[in-house]
Amino acid sequence: MGKSSHIQGTKGAKYSQQLRGVNLEQVLIIAIDAAKLHQKALICNYFGDVIERPFFFSVCESGMQVLLKNIDRAAAAVQAQRIFLGIEATGHYYEDVIREMAKHGYQVQIFNPYSTYEERASALNWCKTDDLDLVAIAHAIKSNKATETRLLDGIQRHLLVLTRARRSEIRKRSVFRMEIRNLMDIIWREYQGYADHSQGKARKIKVFSDFWGKASLFFMEHYPHPSMVLNLGESELRKLSIRHNLKLRKTAIHKLLYVAEQSLSRNMEELRPELMLLKMKLSDLDAFDAKIELLDQEIEKLLLQTDGRLLLTVPGLGVSTSAELYAEMGDVSHFTHAGQLIKKAGTNPIIKQTGGGKGSYRNISKQGNSHLRYVVFLAGRNLCLHNKDLKSFYDRLKTRGKHERSIFIAMGNKMLKIAFAMLRDRAYFASQLSSYQITTEINKKLKYNCFISSALQAAA
């Protein structure tokens, strides 16, 4: 029977090849439940007969020796011909176990928590205990449901750590920005924009085109109350703009003075707590901006050292999105086709088919890597907005009445297929636009590094 005819494809064919012709009583299944302090393991044979009852061990020199000695004892007891180890991807605690076991020649299969959840649910048992988790992992090993067998290393792992940290910092910064907006609403409601009803309909007119721009942040930090702006007057505002390079136009100055005159804000003494909090939040915001800037610099530098820089040739994918997509995809040499990556992301649609009918596509499975799933959605949205080559795909789904978010996911899946082929073949994005130029596309995205075209030429 050829590999392609196995019901689990190449992955299933490799697994069955290891079992074929082997006495299954001599096949050891070792399930490991990772945790911060108290790891637990269970050793049984392929039929589920317990060889070593569940035992605790720690991830340290002595703890790993406990695990290894139990494996050796069980292997000797059944004269093991094959040993399969599996661990659930719980936080980052599982990584140390995999690295340490690799030093002793053991390959540990990595299971998505959803796989063990399904195994536990199939037993019709709604309890969750360490022993039940071990049994679920053991069943998942037998069913060959592992998603990966290797951890990322080198620059790709560095990118994974830094891009996830960057996303976390951006989310924290968003919280601070919302708090600052709320404080400015209390201190000076019209600062973020005022209502205009002069043309018979309600309109919002912004004072600053970018609320988080240099000019807006300057006034929030130094002149956050309308009385302070009124005391300056138009001439002093012009001088401030020149002195601090705020680039305030005449219309912006007039708007600022107008909202200051019209404001019904309480006096500064009453707003003293809010003004104090605003100053603190703006200081925190500066710290977040500095951290994100530092992360952006390092991410860009590292990305240019990898094949991930090829993704920069895709219009619509910036440095951070390209780096995150490259890092979360992992080593594409571990996959035989892009569909495996889509399943890893959990953005594959659930298919419902029965009675020989055509079947229908439902919501995405969400059974994969949540980090990869997020960046697939993000990349899909960016491509829908900024990639002219793929606009026809977007338009086709739009005319079929697809929801915007569904289109973003579909576009993200398409990007996974494109990215898989680009990284596998070390090729550029194949744009059909006559105005498209690779070096121009990349250079406009780089902020901290000079792009050397020969470096990309060498990668392709």
Side-chain angles (χ1 to χ4, degrees), residues 173-188 191-192 211-212 216-217 220 274 277-286:
R173 185 178 67 177
S174 297
V175 173
F176 274 94
R177 284 183 168 183
M178 186 59 67
E179 290 174 350
I180 290 169
R181 282 188 180 275
N182 290 338
L183 284 169
M184 285 306 297
D185 275 341
I186 297 169
I187 296 168
W188 186 356
Y191 185 84
Q192 297 184 55
F211 184 75
W212 304 110
S216 178
L217 287 171
M220 279 193 281
E274 285 83 2
L277 287 171
L278 177 64
K279 193 165 187 175
M280 292 168 57
K281 297 294 180 185
L282 286 170
S283 177
D284 291 334
L285 184 63
D286 283 341

PDB file of all heavy atoms in Angstrom, residues 173-188 191-192 211-212 216-217 220 274 277-286:
ATOM      1  N   ARG A 173      -0.546  48.517  25.335  1.00  0.00           N
ATOM      2  CA  ARG A 173      -0.562  49.934  24.969  1.00  0.00           C
ATOM      3  C   ARG A 173      -1.964  50.384  24.580  1.00  0.00           C
ATOM      4  O   ARG A 173      -2.368  51.512  24.888  1.00  0.00           O
ATOM      5  CB  ARG A 173       0.414  50.187  23.814  1.00  0.00           C
ATOM      6  CG  ARG A 173       0.541  51.667  23.450  1.00  0.00           C
ATOM      7  CD  ARG A 173       1.540  51.890  22.342  1.00  0.00           C
ATOM      8  NE  ARG A 173       1.111  51.333  21.075  1.00  0.00           N
ATOM      9  CZ  ARG A 173       1.793  51.454  19.940  1.00  0.00           C
ATOM     10  NH1 ARG A 173       2.965  52.091  19.934  1.00  0.00           N
ATOM     11  NH2 ARG A 173       1.348  50.920  18.818  1.00  0.00           N
ATOM     12  N   SER A 174      -2.711  49.517  23.938  1.00  0.00           N
ATOM     13  CA  SER A 174      -4.083  49.857  23.555  1.00  0.00           C
ATOM     14  C   SER A 174      -4.941  50.152  24.780  1.00  0.00           C
ATOM     15  O   SER A 174      -5.809  51.031  24.741  1.00  0.00           O
ATOM     16  CB  SER A 174      -4.703  48.710  22.741  1.00  0.00           C
ATOM     17  OG  SER A 174      -3.999  48.516  21.535  1.00  0.00           O
ATOM     18  N   VAL A 175      -4.699  49.395  25.853  1.00  0.00           N
ATOM     19  CA  VAL A 175      -5.429  49.630  27.098  1.00  0.00           C
ATOM     20  C   VAL A 175      -5.107  51.015  27.643  1.00  0.00           C
ATOM     21  O   VAL A 175      -5.999  51.770  28.058  1.00  0.00           O
ATOM     22  CB  VAL A 175      -5.099  48.546  28.150  1.00  0.00           C
ATOM     23  CG1 VAL A 175      -5.720  48.890  29.493  1.00  0.00           C
ATOM     24  CG2 VAL A 175      -5.577  47.174  27.673  1.00  0.00           C
ATOM     25  N   PHE A 176      -3.828  51.378  27.633  1.00  0.00           N
ATOM     26  CA  PHE A 176      -3.420  52.702  28.113  1.00  0.00           C
ATOM     27  C   PHE A 176      -4.014  53.803  27.243  1.00  0.00           C
ATOM     28  O   PHE A 176      -4.440  54.849  27.745  1.00  0.00           O
ATOM     29  CB  PHE A 176      -1.893  52.808  28.129  1.00  0.00           C
ATOM     30  CG  PHE A 176      -1.273  52.286  29.389  1.00  0.00           C
ATOM     31  CD1 PHE A 176      -0.836  50.980  29.464  1.00  0.00           C
ATOM     32  CD2 PHE A 176      -1.145  53.098  30.499  1.00  0.00           C
ATOM     33  CE1 PHE A 176      -0.270  50.482  30.634  1.00  0.00           C
ATOM     34  CE2 PHE A 176      -0.582  52.617  31.674  1.00  0.00           C
ATOM     35  CZ  PHE A 176      -0.148  51.300  31.738  1.00  0.00           C
ATOM     36  N   ARG A 177      -4.043  53.575  25.950  1.00  0.00           N
ATOM     37  CA  ARG A 177      -4.612  54.578  25.047  1.00  0.00           C
ATOM     38  C   ARG A 177      -6.098  54.792  25.336  1.00  0.00           C
ATOM     39  O   ARG A 177      -6.571  55.941  25.305  1.00  0.00           O
ATOM     40  CB  ARG A 177      -4.407  54.147  23.592  1.00  0.00           C
ATOM     41  CG  ARG A 177      -2.984  54.356  23.099  1.00  0.00           C
ATOM     42  CD  ARG A 177      -2.852  53.985  21.635  1.00  0.00           C
ATOM     43  NE  ARG A 177      -1.578  54.440  21.089  1.00  0.00           N
ATOM     44  CZ  ARG A 177      -1.218  54.290  19.809  1.00  0.00           C
ATOM     45  NH1 ARG A 177      -2.048  53.683  18.970  1.00  0.00           N
ATOM     46  NH2 ARG A 177      -0.050  54.741  19.393  1.00  0.00           N
ATOM     47  N   MET A 178      -6.805  53.714  25.612  1.00  0.00           N
ATOM     48  CA  MET A 178      -8.225  53.843  25.936  1.00  0.00           C
ATOM     49  C   MET A 178      -8.409  54.620  27.236  1.00  0.00           C
ATOM     50  O   MET A 178      -9.317  55.461  27.360  1.00  0.00           O
ATOM     51  CB  MET A 178      -8.864  52.453  26.043  1.00  0.00           C
ATOM     52  CG  MET A 178     -10.373  52.484  26.242  1.00  0.00           C
ATOM     53  SD  MET A 178     -11.240  53.335  24.905  1.00  0.00           S
ATOM     54  CE  MET A 178     -10.932  52.191  23.544  1.00  0.00           C
ATOM     55  N   GLU A 179      -7.548  54.358  28.213  1.00  0.00           N
ATOM     56  CA  GLU A 179      -7.624  55.078  29.487  1.00  0.00           C
ATOM     57  C   GLU A 179      -7.326  56.559  29.308  1.00  0.00           C
ATOM     58  O   GLU A 179      -7.959  57.412  29.937  1.00  0.00           O
ATOM     59  CB  GLU A 179      -6.653  54.448  30.493  1.00  0.00           C
ATOM     60  CG  GLU A 179      -7.080  53.064  30.956  1.00  0.00           C
ATOM     61  CD  GLU A 179      -6.035  52.394  31.835  1.00  0.00           C
ATOM     62  OE1 GLU A 179      -4.902  52.922  31.921  1.00  0.00           O
ATOM     63  OE2 GLU A 179      -6.352  51.351  32.434  1.00  0.00           O
ATOM     64  N   ILE A 180      -6.377  56.874  28.425  1.00  0.00           N
ATOM     65  CA  ILE A 180      -6.051  58.277  28.152  1.00  0.00           C
ATOM     66  C   ILE A 180      -7.224  58.975  27.473  1.00  0.00           C
ATOM     67  O   ILE A 180      -7.573  60.118  27.805  1.00  0.00           O
ATOM     68  CB  ILE A 180      -4.769  58.370  27.293  1.00  0.00           C
ATOM     69  CG1 ILE A 180      -3.547  57.963  28.129  1.00  0.00           C
ATOM     70  CG2 ILE A 180      -4.578  59.778  26.730  1.00  0.00           C
ATOM     71  CD1 ILE A 180      -2.279  57.764  27.328  1.00  0.00           C
ATOM     72  N   ARG A 181      -7.845  58.295  26.518  1.00  0.00           N
ATOM     73  CA  ARG A 181      -9.031  58.864  25.862  1.00  0.00           C
ATOM     74  C   ARG A 181     -10.130  59.163  26.888  1.00  0.00           C
ATOM     75  O   ARG A 181     -10.781  60.214  26.835  1.00  0.00           O
ATOM     76  CB  ARG A 181      -9.551  57.905  24.793  1.00  0.00           C
ATOM     77  CG  ARG A 181      -8.764  57.908  23.494  1.00  0.00           C
ATOM     78  CD  ARG A 181      -9.458  57.076  22.438  1.00  0.00           C
ATOM     79  NE  ARG A 181      -8.745  57.052  21.174  1.00  0.00           N
ATOM     80  CZ  ARG A 181      -8.856  57.975  20.217  1.00  0.00           C
ATOM     81  NH1 ARG A 181      -9.653  59.021  20.406  1.00  0.00           N
ATOM     82  NH2 ARG A 181      -8.180  57.857  19.091  1.00  0.00           N
ATOM     83  N   ASN A 182     -10.350  58.213  27.802  1.00  0.00           N
ATOM     84  CA  ASN A 182     -11.386  58.410  28.819  1.00  0.00           C
ATOM     85  C   ASN A 182     -11.067  59.604  29.714  1.00  0.00           C
ATOM     86  O   ASN A 182     -11.961  60.381  30.073  1.00  0.00           O
ATOM     87  CB  ASN A 182     -11.544  57.142  29.659  1.00  0.00           C
ATOM     88  CG  ASN A 182     -12.160  55.998  28.887  1.00  0.00           C
ATOM     89  OD1 ASN A 182     -12.834  56.215  27.879  1.00  0.00           O
ATOM     90  ND2 ASN A 182     -11.933  54.776  29.331  1.00  0.00           N
ATOM     91  N   LEU A 183      -9.791  59.745  30.090  1.00  0.00           N
ATOM     92  CA  LEU A 183      -9.393  60.878  30.926  1.00  0.00           C
ATOM     93  C   LEU A 183      -9.573  62.206  30.188  1.00  0.00           C
ATOM     94  O   LEU A 183     -10.036  63.202  30.769  1.00  0.00           O
ATOM     95  CB  LEU A 183      -7.931  60.723  31.360  1.00  0.00           C
ATOM     96  CG  LEU A 183      -7.664  59.693  32.468  1.00  0.00           C
ATOM     97  CD1 LEU A 183      -6.178  59.434  32.610  1.00  0.00           C
ATOM     98  CD2 LEU A 183      -8.247  60.160  33.798  1.00  0.00           C
ATOM     99  N   MET A 184      -9.220  62.226  28.899  1.00  0.00           N
ATOM    100  CA  MET A 184      -9.392  63.458  28.120  1.00  0.00           C
ATOM    101  C   MET A 184     -10.867  63.806  27.926  1.00  0.00           C
ATOM    102  O   MET A 184     -11.231  64.983  27.835  1.00  0.00           O
ATOM    103  CB  MET A 184      -8.697  63.343  26.763  1.00  0.00           C
ATOM    104  CG  MET A 184      -7.175  63.456  26.824  1.00  0.00           C
ATOM    105  SD  MET A 184      -6.578  64.958  27.655  1.00  0.00           S
ATOM    106  CE  MET A 184      -7.220  66.254  26.594  1.00  0.00           C
ATOM    107  N   ASP A 185     -11.717  62.782  27.888  1.00  0.00           N
ATOM    108  CA  ASP A 185     -13.163  63.035  27.824  1.00  0.00           C
ATOM    109  C   ASP A 185     -13.640  63.788  29.058  1.00  0.00           C
ATOM    110  O   ASP A 185     -14.532  64.639  28.983  1.00  0.00           O
ATOM    111  CB  ASP A 185     -13.933  61.709  27.704  1.00  0.00           C
ATOM    112  CG  ASP A 185     -14.044  61.246  26.263  1.00  0.00           C
ATOM    113  OD1 ASP A 185     -13.860  62.084  25.358  1.00  0.00           O
ATOM    114  OD2 ASP A 185     -14.312  60.057  26.044  1.00  0.00           O
ATOM    115  N   ILE A 186     -13.058  63.442  30.200  1.00  0.00           N
ATOM    116  CA  ILE A 186     -13.443  64.093  31.461  1.00  0.00           C
ATOM    117  C   ILE A 186     -12.821  65.488  31.569  1.00  0.00           C
ATOM    118  O   ILE A 186     -13.482  66.448  31.957  1.00  0.00           O
ATOM    119  CB  ILE A 186     -13.010  63.225  32.667  1.00  0.00           C
ATOM    120  CG1 ILE A 186     -13.740  61.878  32.634  1.00  0.00           C
ATOM    121  CG2 ILE A 186     -13.290  63.943  33.990  1.00  0.00           C
ATOM    122  CD1 ILE A 186     -13.191  60.858  33.608  1.00  0.00           C
ATOM    123  N   ILE A 187     -11.551  65.599  31.186  1.00  0.00           N
ATOM    124  CA  ILE A 187     -10.839  66.875  31.319  1.00  0.00           C
ATOM    125  C   ILE A 187     -11.305  67.887  30.278  1.00  0.00           C
ATOM    126  O   ILE A 187     -11.578  69.047  30.591  1.00  0.00           O
ATOM    127  CB  ILE A 187      -9.314  66.638  31.189  1.00  0.00           C
ATOM    128  CG1 ILE A 187      -8.807  65.764  32.338  1.00  0.00           C
ATOM    129  CG2 ILE A 187      -8.556  67.968  31.168  1.00  0.00           C
ATOM    130  CD1 ILE A 187      -7.402  65.236  32.138  1.00  0.00           C
ATOM    131  N   TRP A 188     -11.380  67.417  29.038  1.00  0.00           N
ATOM    132  CA  TRP A 188     -11.685  68.340  27.926  1.00  0.00           C
ATOM    133  C   TRP A 188     -12.380  67.528  26.833  1.00  0.00           C
ATOM    134  O   TRP A 188     -11.768  66.977  25.957  1.00  0.00           O
ATOM    135  CB  TRP A 188     -10.392  68.953  27.422  1.00  0.00           C
ATOM    136  CG  TRP A 188     -10.524  70.014  26.398  1.00  0.00           C
ATOM    137  CD1 TRP A 188     -11.656  70.472  25.786  1.00  0.00           C
ATOM    138  CD2 TRP A 188      -9.443  70.773  25.836  1.00  0.00           C
ATOM    139  NE1 TRP A 188     -11.371  71.447  24.891  1.00  0.00           N
ATOM    140  CE2 TRP A 188     -10.020  71.670  24.902  1.00  0.00           C
ATOM    141  CE3 TRP A 188      -8.067  70.802  26.032  1.00  0.00           C
ATOM    142  CZ2 TRP A 188      -9.240  72.567  24.159  1.00  0.00           C
ATOM    143  CZ3 TRP A 188      -7.298  71.699  25.298  1.00  0.00           C
ATOM    144  CH2 TRP A 188      -7.875  72.564  24.369  1.00  0.00           C
ATOM    145  N   TYR A 191     -11.677  67.885  22.939  1.00  0.00           N
ATOM    146  CA  TYR A 191     -10.305  67.769  22.452  1.00  0.00           C
ATOM    147  C   TYR A 191     -10.195  66.698  21.364  1.00  0.00           C
ATOM    148  O   TYR A 191      -9.410  66.836  20.417  1.00  0.00           O
ATOM    149  CB  TYR A 191      -9.362  67.448  23.611  1.00  0.00           C
ATOM    150  CG  TYR A 191      -7.905  67.429  23.241  1.00  0.00           C
ATOM    151  CD1 TYR A 191      -7.168  68.608  23.195  1.00  0.00           C
ATOM    152  CD2 TYR A 191      -7.247  66.236  22.933  1.00  0.00           C
ATOM    153  CE1 TYR A 191      -5.821  68.608  22.859  1.00  0.00           C
ATOM    154  CE2 TYR A 191      -5.910  66.226  22.591  1.00  0.00           C
ATOM    155  CZ  TYR A 191      -5.200  67.415  22.552  1.00  0.00           C
ATOM    156  OH  TYR A 191      -3.860  67.410  22.211  1.00  0.00           O
ATOM    157  N   GLN A 192     -10.976  65.641  21.497  1.00  0.00           N
ATOM    158  CA  GLN A 192     -10.918  64.545  20.519  1.00  0.00           C
ATOM    159  C   GLN A 192     -11.767  64.819  19.280  1.00  0.00           C
ATOM    160  O   GLN A 192     -11.722  64.082  18.314  1.00  0.00           O
ATOM    161  CB  GLN A 192     -11.363  63.238  21.168  1.00  0.00           C
ATOM    162  CG  GLN A 192     -10.462  62.805  22.298  1.00  0.00           C
ATOM    163  CD  GLN A 192     -10.855  61.455  22.858  1.00  0.00           C
ATOM    164  OE1 GLN A 192     -10.951  60.467  22.129  1.00  0.00           O
ATOM    165  NE2 GLN A 192     -11.068  61.393  24.158  1.00  0.00           N
ATOM    166  N   PHE A 211      -4.873  61.574  16.623  1.00  0.00           N
ATOM    167  CA  PHE A 211      -4.960  61.819  18.065  1.00  0.00           C
ATOM    168  C   PHE A 211      -3.678  61.413  18.779  1.00  0.00           C
ATOM    169  O   PHE A 211      -3.340  61.978  19.820  1.00  0.00           O
ATOM    170  CB  PHE A 211      -6.151  61.050  18.642  1.00  0.00           C
ATOM    171  CG  PHE A 211      -6.395  61.312  20.106  1.00  0.00           C
ATOM    172  CD1 PHE A 211      -6.955  62.503  20.530  1.00  0.00           C
ATOM    173  CD2 PHE A 211      -6.056  60.366  21.047  1.00  0.00           C
ATOM    174  CE1 PHE A 211      -7.176  62.752  21.884  1.00  0.00           C
ATOM    175  CE2 PHE A 211      -6.273  60.598  22.406  1.00  0.00           C
ATOM    176  CZ  PHE A 211      -6.832  61.801  22.819  1.00  0.00           C
ATOM    177  N   TRP A 212      -2.959  60.412  18.226  1.00  0.00           N
ATOM    178  CA  TRP A 212      -1.723  59.930  18.841  1.00  0.00           C
ATOM    179  C   TRP A 212      -0.489  60.488  18.154  1.00  0.00           C
ATOM    180  O   TRP A 212       0.619  59.987  18.336  1.00  0.00           O
ATOM    181  CB  TRP A 212      -1.698  58.399  18.839  1.00  0.00           C
ATOM    182  CG  TRP A 212      -2.890  57.821  19.516  1.00  0.00           C
ATOM    183  CD1 TRP A 212      -3.919  57.155  18.945  1.00  0.00           C
ATOM    184  CD2 TRP A 212      -3.190  57.898  20.915  1.00  0.00           C
ATOM    185  NE1 TRP A 212      -4.850  56.800  19.876  1.00  0.00           N
ATOM    186  CE2 TRP A 212      -4.434  57.238  21.105  1.00  0.00           C
ATOM    187  CE3 TRP A 212      -2.549  58.451  22.022  1.00  0.00           C
ATOM    188  CZ2 TRP A 212      -5.032  57.114  22.348  1.00  0.00           C
ATOM    189  CZ3 TRP A 212      -3.143  58.337  23.264  1.00  0.00           C
ATOM    190  CH2 TRP A 212      -4.371  57.673  23.423  1.00  0.00           C
ATOM    191  N   SER A 216      -0.695  66.326  19.024  1.00  0.00           N
ATOM    192  CA  SER A 216      -1.740  66.014  20.001  1.00  0.00           C
ATOM    193  C   SER A 216      -1.138  65.576  21.336  1.00  0.00           C
ATOM    194  O   SER A 216      -1.567  66.020  22.409  1.00  0.00           O
ATOM    195  CB  SER A 216      -2.653  64.925  19.442  1.00  0.00           C
ATOM    196  OG  SER A 216      -3.640  64.565  20.379  1.00  0.00           O
ATOM    197  N   LEU A 217      -0.128  64.708  21.284  1.00  0.00           N
ATOM    198  CA  LEU A 217       0.514  64.236  22.513  1.00  0.00           C
ATOM    199  C   LEU A 217       1.220  65.378  23.250  1.00  0.00           C
ATOM    200  O   LEU A 217       1.239  65.416  24.481  1.00  0.00           O
ATOM    201  CB  LEU A 217       1.518  63.125  22.181  1.00  0.00           C
ATOM    202  CG  LEU A 217       0.929  61.773  21.786  1.00  0.00           C
ATOM    203  CD1 LEU A 217       2.015  60.829  21.272  1.00  0.00           C
ATOM    204  CD2 LEU A 217       0.195  61.126  22.948  1.00  0.00           C
ATOM    205  N   MET A 220      -1.472  67.310  25.133  1.00  0.00           N
ATOM    206  CA  MET A 220      -1.983  66.526  26.254  1.00  0.00           C
ATOM    207  C   MET A 220      -0.993  66.513  27.410  1.00  0.00           C
ATOM    208  O   MET A 220      -1.378  66.491  28.571  1.00  0.00           O
ATOM    209  CB  MET A 220      -2.286  65.084  25.798  1.00  0.00           C
ATOM    210  CG  MET A 220      -3.621  64.926  25.099  1.00  0.00           C
ATOM    211  SD  MET A 220      -4.106  63.204  24.904  1.00  0.00           S
ATOM    212  CE  MET A 220      -3.108  62.717  23.507  1.00  0.00           C
ATOM    213  N   GLU A 274      -7.574  63.866  37.799  1.00  0.00           N
ATOM    214  CA  GLU A 274      -7.542  63.400  36.410  1.00  0.00           C
ATOM    215  C   GLU A 274      -6.281  63.892  35.698  1.00  0.00           C
ATOM    216  O   GLU A 274      -5.671  63.153  34.910  1.00  0.00           O
ATOM    217  CB  GLU A 274      -8.776  63.885  35.654  1.00  0.00           C
ATOM    218  CG  GLU A 274     -10.071  63.147  35.985  1.00  0.00           C
ATOM    219  CD  GLU A 274     -10.754  63.664  37.237  1.00  0.00           C
ATOM    220  OE1 GLU A 274     -10.238  64.637  37.847  1.00  0.00           O
ATOM    221  OE2 GLU A 274     -11.792  63.121  37.621  1.00  0.00           O
ATOM    222  N   LEU A 277      -3.410  61.736  36.847  1.00  0.00           N
ATOM    223  CA  LEU A 277      -3.464  60.418  36.205  1.00  0.00           C
ATOM    224  C   LEU A 277      -3.078  60.496  34.738  1.00  0.00           C
ATOM    225  O   LEU A 277      -2.394  59.607  34.210  1.00  0.00           O
ATOM    226  CB  LEU A 277      -4.872  59.827  36.346  1.00  0.00           C
ATOM    227  CG  LEU A 277      -5.268  59.338  37.737  1.00  0.00           C
ATOM    228  CD1 LEU A 277      -6.746  58.991  37.776  1.00  0.00           C
ATOM    229  CD2 LEU A 277      -4.429  58.136  38.143  1.00  0.00           C
ATOM    230  N   LEU A 278      -3.514  61.555  34.056  1.00  0.00           N
ATOM    231  CA  LEU A 278      -3.175  61.724  32.647  1.00  0.00           C
ATOM    232  C   LEU A 278      -1.668  61.789  32.456  1.00  0.00           C
ATOM    233  O   LEU A 278      -1.112  61.155  31.549  1.00  0.00           O
ATOM    234  CB  LEU A 278      -3.839  62.988  32.101  1.00  0.00           C
ATOM    235  CG  LEU A 278      -3.517  63.334  30.642  1.00  0.00           C
ATOM    236  CD1 LEU A 278      -4.057  62.252  29.707  1.00  0.00           C
ATOM    237  CD2 LEU A 278      -4.071  64.697  30.270  1.00  0.00           C
ATOM    238  N   LYS A 279      -0.994  62.550  33.322  1.00  0.00           N
ATOM    239  CA  LYS A 279       0.460  62.669  33.222  1.00  0.00           C
ATOM    240  C   LYS A 279       1.127  61.311  33.420  1.00  0.00           C
ATOM    241  O   LYS A 279       2.080  60.951  32.703  1.00  0.00           O
ATOM    242  CB  LYS A 279       0.955  63.662  34.274  1.00  0.00           C
ATOM    243  CG  LYS A 279       2.396  64.102  34.069  1.00  0.00           C
ATOM    244  CD  LYS A 279       2.722  65.334  34.889  1.00  0.00           C
ATOM    245  CE  LYS A 279       4.107  65.841  34.520  1.00  0.00           C
ATOM    246  NZ  LYS A 279       4.427  67.100  35.197  1.00  0.00           N
ATOM    247  N   MET A 280       0.627  60.533  34.382  1.00  0.00           N
ATOM    248  CA  MET A 280       1.180  59.207  34.631  1.00  0.00           C
ATOM    249  C   MET A 280       0.964  58.281  33.437  1.00  0.00           C
ATOM    250  O   MET A 280       1.883  57.563  33.015  1.00  0.00           O
ATOM    251  CB  MET A 280       0.538  58.608  35.889  1.00  0.00           C
ATOM    252  CG  MET A 280       0.921  59.302  37.177  1.00  0.00           C
ATOM    253  SD  MET A 280      -0.124  58.784  38.571  1.00  0.00           S
ATOM    254  CE  MET A 280       0.135  57.018  38.574  1.00  0.00           C
ATOM    255  N   LYS A 281      -0.249  58.303  32.880  1.00  0.00           N
ATOM    256  CA  LYS A 281      -0.564  57.421  31.751  1.00  0.00           C
ATOM    257  C   LYS A 281       0.251  57.780  30.517  1.00  0.00           C
ATOM    258  O   LYS A 281       0.691  56.898  29.768  1.00  0.00           O
ATOM    259  CB  LYS A 281      -2.058  57.496  31.419  1.00  0.00           C
ATOM    260  CG  LYS A 281      -2.988  57.022  32.533  1.00  0.00           C
ATOM    261  CD  LYS A 281      -2.833  55.552  32.814  1.00  0.00           C
ATOM    262  CE  LYS A 281      -3.779  55.094  33.921  1.00  0.00           C
ATOM    263  NZ  LYS A 281      -3.568  53.684  34.288  1.00  0.00           N
ATOM    264  N   LEU A 282       0.458  59.089  30.288  1.00  0.00           N
ATOM    265  CA  LEU A 282       1.259  59.503  29.135  1.00  0.00           C
ATOM    266  C   LEU A 282       2.710  59.064  29.295  1.00  0.00           C
ATOM    267  O   LEU A 282       3.368  58.693  28.321  1.00  0.00           O
ATOM    268  CB  LEU A 282       1.182  61.023  28.971  1.00  0.00           C
ATOM    269  CG  LEU A 282      -0.135  61.560  28.423  1.00  0.00           C
ATOM    270  CD1 LEU A 282      -0.179  63.078  28.527  1.00  0.00           C
ATOM    271  CD2 LEU A 282      -0.360  61.119  26.976  1.00  0.00           C
ATOM    272  N   SER A 283       3.210  59.100  30.524  1.00  0.00           N
ATOM    273  CA  SER A 283       4.560  58.615  30.789  1.00  0.00           C
ATOM    274  C   SER A 283       4.662  57.117  30.512  1.00  0.00           C
ATOM    275  O   SER A 283       5.631  56.642  29.906  1.00  0.00           O
ATOM    276  CB  SER A 283       4.933  58.913  32.241  1.00  0.00           C
ATOM    277  OG  SER A 283       6.209  58.394  32.545  1.00  0.00           O
ATOM    278  N   ASP A 284       3.635  56.368  30.941  1.00  0.00           N
ATOM    279  CA  ASP A 284       3.598  54.928  30.662  1.00  0.00           C
ATOM    280  C   ASP A 284       3.516  54.661  29.168  1.00  0.00           C
ATOM    281  O   ASP A 284       4.133  53.718  28.656  1.00  0.00           O
ATOM    282  CB  ASP A 284       2.402  54.283  31.371  1.00  0.00           C
ATOM    283  CG  ASP A 284       2.563  54.263  32.879  1.00  0.00           C
ATOM    284  OD1 ASP A 284       3.711  54.269  33.348  1.00  0.00           O
ATOM    285  OD2 ASP A 284       1.542  54.247  33.592  1.00  0.00           O
ATOM    286  N   LEU A 285       2.742  55.500  28.475  1.00  0.00           N
ATOM    287  CA  LEU A 285       2.606  55.340  27.023  1.00  0.00           C
ATOM    288  C   LEU A 285       3.942  55.535  26.326  1.00  0.00           C
ATOM    289  O   LEU A 285       4.281  54.797  25.399  1.00  0.00           O
ATOM    290  CB  LEU A 285       1.570  56.340  26.489  1.00  0.00           C
ATOM    291  CG  LEU A 285       1.249  56.244  24.995  1.00  0.00           C
ATOM    292  CD1 LEU A 285       0.616  54.895  24.667  1.00  0.00           C
ATOM    293  CD2 LEU A 285       0.329  57.384  24.568  1.00  0.00           C
ATOM    294  N   ASP A 286       4.721  56.516  26.783  1.00  0.00           N
ATOM    295  CA  ASP A 286       6.063  56.732  26.218  1.00  0.00           C
ATOM    296  C   ASP A 286       6.938  55.495  26.403  1.00  0.00           C
ATOM    297  O   ASP A 286       7.692  55.115  25.502  1.00  0.00           O
ATOM    298  CB  ASP A 286       6.736  57.926  26.907  1.00  0.00           C
ATOM    299  CG  ASP A 286       6.193  59.250  26.407  1.00  0.00           C
ATOM    300  OD1 ASP A 286       5.594  59.271  25.323  1.00  0.00           O
ATOM    301  OD2 ASP A 286       6.361  60.264  27.112  1.00  0.00           O
TER     302      ASP A 286
END
